[in-house]
Amino acid sequence: MSLPAVDVQAGNAARARQQQLTKPPGSLGRLEDLACWFAARLKNPVPAPPRCEIFVFAADHGVTVRGVSAFPQSVTAQMVGNFARGGAAINVLASLEDCRIEVVDVGVASDEPPPVGIRNERLRAGTRDLASTAAMTADELRSALAVGEHCVRAAVDRGVQLLIAGEMGIANSTAAACLICTFTGAAPEMVVGRGTGVDDAGLARKREVVRMALARVSKESSQEASRTLAGLGGFEIAAMAGFYIESARRGVPVMLDGYISTAAALAAVAMEPGVVDWMLASHRSAEGGHRIALEKLRLEPLLDLGLRLGEGTGAALTLPIVRAALTLHAKMATFGEAGVSEGIDESK
Amino acid sequence: MSLPAVDVQAGNAARARQQQLTKPPGSLGRLEDLACWFAARLKNPVPAPPRCEIFVFAADHGVTVRGVSAFPQSVTAQMVGNFARGGAAINVLASLEDCRIEVVDVGVASDEPPPVGIRNERLRAGTRDLASTAAMTADELRSALAVGEHCVRAAVDRGVQLLIAGEMGIANSTAAACLICTFTGAAPEMVVGRGTGVDDAGLARKREVVRMALARVSKESSQEASRTLAGLGGFEIAAMAGFYIESARRGVPVMLDGYISTAAALAAVAMEPGVVDWMLASHRSAEGGHRIALEKLRLEPLLDLGLRLGEGTGAALTLPIVRAALTLHAKMATFGEAGVSEGIDESK
């Protein structure tokens, strides 16, 4: 399925409008670029701030047994409970932005079913240990991708114009590190960070685990992107990759979040390169490897506030910047309307 | 008059609360610091987002005759008209944030009185040419400082808890450059930029003008900060300096804007060093010298989006980040409330 093209004409019309607004040309910096970016994707030279929805995908990781996280696996289910009760950071930000939020259990390891209000798409009680074997089967990967795709289709049916995917999954920064190493070619020392905050011993274990996983995968005959994602990813990461691909297919822009989200984005772009045209980078995470992942995608994040929480929080925090950019674009007076001189030559 | 102290206890209590919220410690990065910063200044461990007002000070500059701006002097008055009609960038952002905005004419060079809705505090039809003589007299400086002080007192009487000062004044980046050079010791080549967008010839003229002004002032017997401000500043810049000093005296935090605002902040801090404790840096301007001014104040800006418009726009754009930080701080569940494990050791 080919991807829809962005509307270059609407983007150009937006750029022309920016030159007419009562400010020195270029003086709103990246806000001007943002307005034009959205104009081209919302196919409207003067778009209203887009209606946004946030999806949080949660799953567990077999690799947790190797002591790569500062938190026990049970925290994934506990945090899903926290999402259901509205107590997590992403709930607070979604509420501030008046954004619909949906939390999807794609594979949490728990004996209990997900709490009321959480969408149950559980594929398995977490992935397998990626250090020793493929994290998921090809069938499981297809199912996880489909979960993300389905969420996008439902959101598009509700008229959504901007999509955010966040995640929760203890040890998922290990899986993300494996994917970032594979898709960027960067060494584990550059890409593996402390995640939620492992100590030095934990960090050393995490790096060793990533090296083992990369060595295992490099021996495989097929280096297809989807095979890499199945071998090294997580259910929530694969759901996000499917989410990003389907968003682009539907012509709906997405705002990436942090380290895990960008690992999923790398996988999505490896599977379908044009997807990157529909991606905006919200923030640069404090997790060092995030910079490498964003550079590979050639995306420049808008914020850099030292966040490293995930859940979609960095993306949600960027929504007011998008709203400001588009409201300035639509509501500022032009030089003509305001009777303001455009420059020293015109006025003399 | 001594400045009020920040409430260290409230700040510490806020820090302790941050450690209990359902997220890895430190994972909200600078949002955590922001919450604690406001807690200490609003004297409340869990403060609500502060009620904010924006003041825009407008004035003209005698140095305009030297061809240092890409826009003619008449644009200052034209933009004041645009503010009055709500068509400027700062109007749009203030409206988005539901912030009261007041525009104060401190010395626009116009035969017409300021339009309806603009506060008339005009001291003179612009400053004198700072390249050849002091921009303002000592009396004029006192009056300009008093304009800013008065605005703060009125706002405090209305219950305001966070203040923003913005500005408009063709050629005021030349005055600001002179102040930044003087208060930081940096060379004009590092500090003087294109402002609203002068061409290469204009930039060369602007640098030469700044060198002339600095040479003139360096010969003076007194190097007092207030004398520097009178010699090299502008009416709107002096009003902002008074605004920042009075805010600190009243124990109300201020959010700095860009290049001009930070030049005023340097002057304020030179006159009254403790004032810096009440200052937050909103953004880093595209005008190169802004970085030098912020470093001198040891302030790290929150945003870096290539803005170089002034008016208070960078500060207003940062308000949603402040709101997010304080709402997360107040509304997120704690580990105890949510039944989430705090780390690997506690849960085993």
Side-chain angles (χ1 to χ4, degrees):
Chain A
M1 184 174 172
S2 74
L3 299 178
V6 303
D7 184 341
V8 175
Q9 222 169 351
N12 289 345
R15 185 65 68 188
R17 176 173 169 79
Q18 279 291 330
Q19 298 303 107
Q20 283 306 308
L21 299 179
T22 45
K23 57 178 175 55
S27 63
L28 280 174
R30 296 195 61 199
L31 300 187
E32 301 189 10
D33 302 333
L34 256 184
C36 300
W37 193 91
F38 273 102
R41 282 152 190 87
L42 300 176
K43 304 182 193 322
N44 182 344
V46 192
R51 213 180 117 195
C52 177
E53 290 192 9
I54 300 170
F55 289 81
V56 181
F57 299 97
D60 274 306
H61 295 261
V63 72
T64 308
V65 297
R66 296 193 180 254
V68 291
S69 175
F71 288 84
Q73 179 166 276
S74 53
V75 165
T76 306
Q78 290 166 0
M79 280 300 295
V80 169
N82 198 21
F83 293 141
R85 287 184 301 272
I90 191 61
N91 298 104
V92 175
L93 293 176
S95 164
L96 261 179
E97 289 301 310
D98 210 13
C99 254
R100 184 179 185 275
I101 176 169
E102 184 164 330
V103 180
V104 186
D105 179 340
V106 210
V108 174
S110 168
D111 297 334
E112 308 285 320
V116 173
I118 304 300
R119 187 183 187 91
N120 188 352
E121 301 280 0
R122 219 178 257 178
L123 299 176
R124 193 171 180 275
T127 49
R128 295 166 193 80
D129 172 17
L130 57 81
S132 57
T133 185
M136 64 189 93
T137 64
D139 270 352
E140 286 164 354
L141 172 63
R142 267 189 293 276
S143 299
L145 290 165
V147 168
E149 291 164 7
H150 175 85
C151 291
V152 168
R153 283 194 290 271
V156 169
D157 287 347
R158 287 187 294 267
V160 161
Q161 299 165 297
L162 173 62
L163 282 163
I164 289 174
E167 43 53 53
M168 174 71 217
I170 293 301
N172 68 5
S173 67
T174 299
C178 291
L179 294 172
I180 293 172
C181 286
T182 306
F183 290 121
T184 68
E189 307 80 61
M190 303 297 295
V191 170
V192 180
R194 291 181 190 272
T196 52
V198 284
D199 57 16
D200 289 348
L203 181 61
R205 279 195 299 275
K206 195 171 166 183
R207 288 195 171 140
E208 182 53 28
V209 161
V210 170
R211 275 186 217 102
M212 286 168 66
L214 295 176
R216 178 179 63 69
V217 166
S218 72
K219 285 184 205 135
E220 291 186 359
S221 52
S222 163
Q223 305 292 328
E224 246 180 65
S226 61
R227 199 173 170 100
T228 301
L229 181 55
L232 300 171
F235 294 132
E236 81 283 43
I237 296 174
M240 291 168 97
F243 185 95
Y244 294 142
I245 293 169
E246 185 67 13
S247 293
R249 285 178 180 156
R250 300 282 161 154
V252 175
V254 297
M255 188 134 68
L256 302 186
D257 188 36
Y259 190 76
I260 317 297
S261 156
T262 309
L266 281 168
V269 171
M271 291 191 275
E272 184 96 54
V275 165
V276 75
D277 289 342
W278 297 86
M279 291 175 168
L280 200 64
S282 63
H283 81 121
R284 182 178 290 122
S285 165
E287 191 82 349
H290 191 211
R291 179 188 297 269
I292 294 166
L294 288 172
E295 282 170 359
K296 175 72 179 180
L297 293 170
R298 300 188 184 194
L299 295 176
E300 179 69 23
L302 289 157
L303 301 180
D304 189 353
L305 293 168
L307 306 189
R308 51 177 174 83
L309 177 55
E311 301 180 4
T313 50
L317 190 65
T318 309
L319 288 174
I321 305 291
V322 169
R323 186 172 53 245
L326 291 175
T327 309
L328 286 162
H329 182 69
K331 300 272 177 79
M332 278 180 72
T334 62
F335 285 109
E337 286 161 6
V340 173
S341 306
E342 288 187 50
I344 204 88
D345 292 320
E346 284 79 11
S347 65
K348 269 184 171 166
Chain B
M1 185 173 169
S2 75
L3 300 177
V6 304
D7 184 342
V8 175
Q9 224 169 350
N12 289 344
R15 186 66 67 186
R17 176 172 170 78
Q18 279 291 331
Q19 299 303 107
Q20 283 305 308
L21 299 179
T22 44
K23 57 177 175 54
S27 63
L28 281 174
R30 296 196 61 198
L31 300 186
E32 301 189 11
D33 302 333
L34 255 185
C36 300
W37 192 91
F38 274 101
R41 281 152 190 87
L42 301 176
K43 303 182 191 323
N44 182 342
V46 192
R51 214 181 117 193
C52 177
E53 290 192 9
I54 300 170
F55 290 80
V56 181
F57 298 98
D60 273 306
H61 295 260
V63 73
T64 307
V65 296
R66 296 193 180 255
V68 291
S69 175
F71 288 84
Q73 180 167 274
S74 54
V75 165
T76 305
Q78 290 166 359
M79 280 300 295
V80 169
N82 198 21
F83 293 142
R85 287 185 301 271
I90 191 60
N91 298 104
V92 174
L93 293 175
S95 164
L96 261 179
E97 289 300 310
D98 210 12
C99 256
R100 184 179 185 276
I101 177 170
E102 185 166 330
V103 179
V104 186
D105 179 340
V106 209
V108 174
S110 168
D111 298 332
E112 308 284 321
V116 173
I118 304 300
R119 187 183 187 89
N120 188 351
E121 302 280 0
R122 217 178 260 177
L123 300 176
R124 193 174 180 276
T127 49
R128 294 167 194 79
D129 172 17
L130 58 81
S132 56
T133 186
M136 64 190 94
T137 64
D139 269 354
E140 285 164 356
L141 172 64
R142 267 190 293 277
S143 299
L145 290 165
V147 168
E149 290 164 8
H150 175 84
C151 291
V152 168
R153 284 196 290 272
V156 170
D157 287 347
R158 287 187 295 266
V160 161
Q161 301 166 297
L162 174 62
L163 282 163
I164 289 174
E167 43 53 54
M168 175 70 217
I170 292 303
N172 68 5
S173 68
T174 298
C178 290
L179 295 172
I180 294 172
C181 285
T182 305
F183 290 121
T184 67
E189 306 79 64
M190 303 297 294
V191 169
V192 181
R194 292 181 189 271
T196 50
V198 283
D199 57 16
D200 289 348
L203 181 61
R205 280 194 300 273
K206 194 171 166 182
R207 288 196 170 138
E208 183 53 28
V209 161
V210 170
R211 274 188 217 103
M212 285 169 67
L214 295 176
R216 178 179 63 70
V217 166
S218 71
K219 286 185 204 133
E220 291 186 0
S221 52
S222 162
Q223 304 293 327
E224 246 181 65
S226 62
R227 201 173 167 97
T228 301
L229 181 54
L232 300 171
F235 294 133
E236 80 284 41
I237 296 175
M240 291 168 96
F243 185 94
Y244 293 143
I245 292 170
E246 185 67 13
S247 294
R249 286 178 178 155
R250 301 281 160 154
V252 175
V254 296
M255 188 133 70
L256 302 186
D257 188 37
Y259 190 76
I260 317 295
S261 157
T262 308
L266 282 168
V269 171
M271 291 191 273
E272 183 96 54
V275 165
V276 74
D277 289 342
W278 296 87
M279 290 174 168
L280 200 64
S282 63
H283 82 121
R284 182 179 290 121
S285 164
E287 190 82 349
H290 192 211
R291 178 188 297 269
I292 293 167
L294 288 171
E295 281 170 1
K296 174 73 178 180
L297 293 170
R298 299 189 185 194
L299 295 175
E300 179 69 23
L302 289 157
L303 301 181
D304 189 352
L305 292 168
L307 305 190
R308 51 178 173 83
L309 177 54
E311 301 180 4
T313 50
L317 190 66
T318 309
L319 288 173
I321 305 292
V322 169
R323 185 170 57 243
L326 291 175
T327 309
L328 286 162
H329 182 68
K331 300 272 177 77
M332 278 181 71
T334 63
F335 285 111
E337 287 162 5
V340 173
S341 307
E342 289 187 47
I344 205 88
D345 293 319
E346 286 80 9
S347 66
K348 267 183 172 167

